[in-house]
Amino acid sequence: MVELKTNESIDAMYEAGQVVGQALTAVRKAADVGVSLLELDEVAREVLRDAGATSPFLGYRPSFAPVPFPAVICASVNDAIVHGIPTGYRLRDGDLVSIDCGAELGGWAGDSAISFTVGRARPADVRLIETAERALAAGIEAAVVGNRIGDIAHAIGSVCRTAGYGIPDGFGGHGIGRKMHEDPSVPNEGRPGRGMPLRHGLVLAIEPMVTAGGTDDYHAAPDGWTLSTNDGSRAAHAEHTVAITETGPRILTAR
């Protein structure tokens, strides 16, 4: 079931989204060579605590997961695409890191993700990250009243495919509101003019994921959560929570 949010609800979701943005900013600032993924998770936890927010990630257990998720961020490094569990791994020079974070505040959820490099960046990684961000921007630009879900999917997919990158099969964005995951699903590739019409009050988490190897295949790690590329190529992830309004898309997790 798809729930359209009132203007007041969108304003409340903006408050939750700002906490997510603050957490991601703090994590990005703290990330450096030698810093562990667990330390980055603690940085995000502190931001959530200070804001009086909780994490929709912590303890989350969908049907595919063997165990509840044990952290407040997903930390995916290099060939890990999404859902990486923070561990004691310490960041190394040249690592490509994707951080996904959520917050619940006042009964509403926000969800966002960033990718960045640590230390000396590889030019190929910079291009990969920039493409994920351009795909996100294209998807947001298409998130207007009168368009359809397929228009968002087509905008994202066109940017990624034109750059020669892969798009992990079966993964994409989603509706968001009282819960982190709501209807509808938002594919990262599709045909324009297809799917559910976009209406004022629909709030979506739009999140392109791209893989440098150009293939769409991936596998799950033994932890049951982390998804990595089959060919070992690197991946990037970008995400914002976006409200569709009569005056255009409103980014609720803007940093």
Side-chain angles (χ1 to χ4, degrees):
M1 177 178 174
V2 175
E3 177 193 4
L4 298 179
K5 279 68 177 180
T6 65
N7 292 338
E8 293 75 18
S9 296
I10 292 173
D11 287 341
M13 291 190 69
Y14 176 82
E15 297 303 319
Q18 290 308 288
V19 176
V20 179
Q22 292 163 14
L24 288 173
T25 298
V27 168
R28 175 67 185 90
K29 184 177 180 180
D32 203 353
V33 174
V35 175
S36 77
L37 301 181
L38 283 173
E39 289 169 338
L40 296 183
D41 185 68
E42 183 54 40
V43 168
R45 287 176 189 251
E46 183 174 357
V47 172
L48 296 183
R49 284 195 298 266
D50 289 347
T54 58
S55 170
F57 289 18
L58 185 63
Y60 179 60
R61 189 179 184 182
S63 59
F64 68 80
V67 295
F69 196 76
V72 305
I73 62 171
C74 296
S76 307
V77 180
N78 297 332
D79 65 331
I81 306 167
V82 287
H83 301 166
I85 294 177
T87 65
Y89 175 83
R90 294 192 177 277
L91 296 173
R92 301 172 183 173
D93 187 45
D95 276 347
L96 192 166
V97 185
S98 297
I99 302 292
D100 194 352
C101 184
E104 290 180 341
L105 183 69
W108 296 100
D111 189 9
S112 186
I114 56 173
S115 292
F116 54 86
T117 56
V118 175
R120 291 168 294 184
R122 302 181 184 182
D125 290 344
V126 172
R127 178 172 174 265
L128 185 69
I129 293 168
E130 289 177 345
T131 300
E133 292 172 346
R134 285 194 295 109
L136 175 59
I140 293 172
E141 185 176 359
V144 296
V145 173
N147 273 358
R148 293 176 176 266
I149 290 289
D151 294 305
I152 298 175
H154 178 71
I156 292 170
S158 295
V159 171
C160 300
R161 295 301 189 191
T162 298
Y165 295 134
I167 301 172
D169 187 40
F171 279 84
H174 49 88
I176 183 170
R178 291 287 183 184
K179 297 185 294 184
M180 179 172 60
H181 290 133
E182 296 183 353
D183 292 332
S185 61
V186 186
N188 284 332
E189 192 169 30
R191 297 176 63 182
R194 299 296 183 93
M196 192 186 79
L198 305 182
R199 297 169 58 191
H200 178 90
L202 181 63
V203 183
L204 304 173
I206 300 173
E207 51 177 323
M209 308 159 197
V210 290
T211 60
T215 66
D216 302 348
D217 301 327
Y218 58 86
H219 62 275
D223 63 25
W225 278 99
T226 308
L227 302 181
S228 299
T229 60
N230 281 355
D231 60 6
S233 65
R234 295 190 168 196
H237 179 201
E239 178 184 17
H240 271 309
T241 296
V242 180
I244 295 164
T245 78
E246 294 289 355
T247 56
R250 181 183 179 188
I251 302 174
L252 305 183
T253 47
R255 294 178 288 277

